[in-house]
Each structure stands twice: as structure tokens, then as C-alpha cells.
Amino acid sequence: MTPDSDVRHLLSVLAEHRIGAVVVSQNGTSVDGIVSERDVVRALAERGPAVLSDPVTAIHTARVHTLTPDTHLQDVMRIMTEQRVRHVPVMVDGSLCGIVSIGDVVKNRIDELETERSALTNYISGTR
């Protein structure tokens, strides 16, 4: 989403794509900020419905924590927990290439636990 997009447009993008946040970028590759549903709710509570006409930069987070495809899952979880964020942009050579959400992290962890449980069940079944 470009910095001059208004909050009303942001809401339509979030709803249309069923997502919780978007990256704010002037050129589509840099990360100038990130704006989430939480940002909208806080702004609405503080300033009322007039905020819908404001640019997303009026409510976005400009200091964005990013990661790379090589970032370990433990580090992703630590960043999300310590920074209290649910979405982290993924960068390669200074360019945006994706975003990891808390849902992605939870799904990955559940898959790991199910794999471990299956391996343990198979081991126990094979030793009886």
C-alpha cells in the first residue's frame, strides 16, 4: 500500500484479502512502514471516524522489524513476542519478498509437534 492511501482504502484491502496487516511502501519493494487492524482500531478509538480519510502514514508503524528467509523460527517467535507484533516483513537484498504472520508461525509449530508425535508413536509401536 502506498503512503498516500487513505485508511478507508486500507480497510477495503484488509477485508478483500482477509488479512490483518499490509506493508506501506512507496515503491513496492522498500518497507516504509506497516499498518494493521490494531492500528485502525486504536486510531478510531482516539480520533473517531474522521481517521478513515487520513493517509495510512498517520496511523502506521514506521519502525518495522524485518527478517530474512534464513531467520530461524525461534528468532521469528522471539521478535514477535518481544516486539508484540503479529506480522513481520521478509527482506532479501533490501527488497520486500514476503511477510510472516503469527498464524504462519503457529501452523509451522503445530506441524512440528504432529511430526514429533507421529515419530514417537511409530517408535513405541515398533518396540512392542
Side-chain angles (χ1 to χ4, degrees), residues 76-124:
V76 176
M77 291 189 291
R78 183 183 47 73
I79 290 167
M80 288 181 164
T81 301
E82 290 176 0
Q83 302 305 316
R84 300 183 52 86
V85 296
R86 300 170 59 90
H87 304 88
V88 184
V90 180
M91 305 293 287
V92 173
D93 297 327
S95 294
L96 178 67
C97 70
I99 191 163
V100 175
S101 74
I102 190 73
D104 299 325
V105 173
V106 169
K107 181 185 180 318
N108 183 275
R109 188 63 185 127
I110 289 171
D111 290 348
E112 285 177 350
L113 292 171
E114 288 176 351
T115 299
E116 290 172 12
R117 181 185 321 171
S118 178
L120 180 60
T121 300
N122 290 340
Y123 174 78
I124 292 170

Side-chain angles (χ1 to χ4, degrees), residues 6-70:
D6 64 27
V7 174
R8 183 173 280 107
H9 178 66
L10 164 69
L11 290 174
S12 68
V13 169
L14 293 174
E16 177 185 346
H17 296 285
R18 301 180 54 132
I19 55 176
V22 297
V23 171
V24 178
S25 176
Q26 185 63 44
N27 60 14
T29 60
S30 65
V31 175
D32 302 321
I34 192 165
V35 62
S36 71
E37 294 167 320
R38 287 180 175 182
D39 296 320
V40 175
V41 169
R42 285 186 191 113
L44 281 168
E46 292 172 6
R47 294 181 272 189
V51 76
L52 297 175
S53 299
D54 289 348
V56 293
T57 53
I59 67 169
H60 82 310
T61 300
R63 185 169 174 256
V64 179
H65 297 274
T66 63
L67 43 100
T68 69
D70 298 328

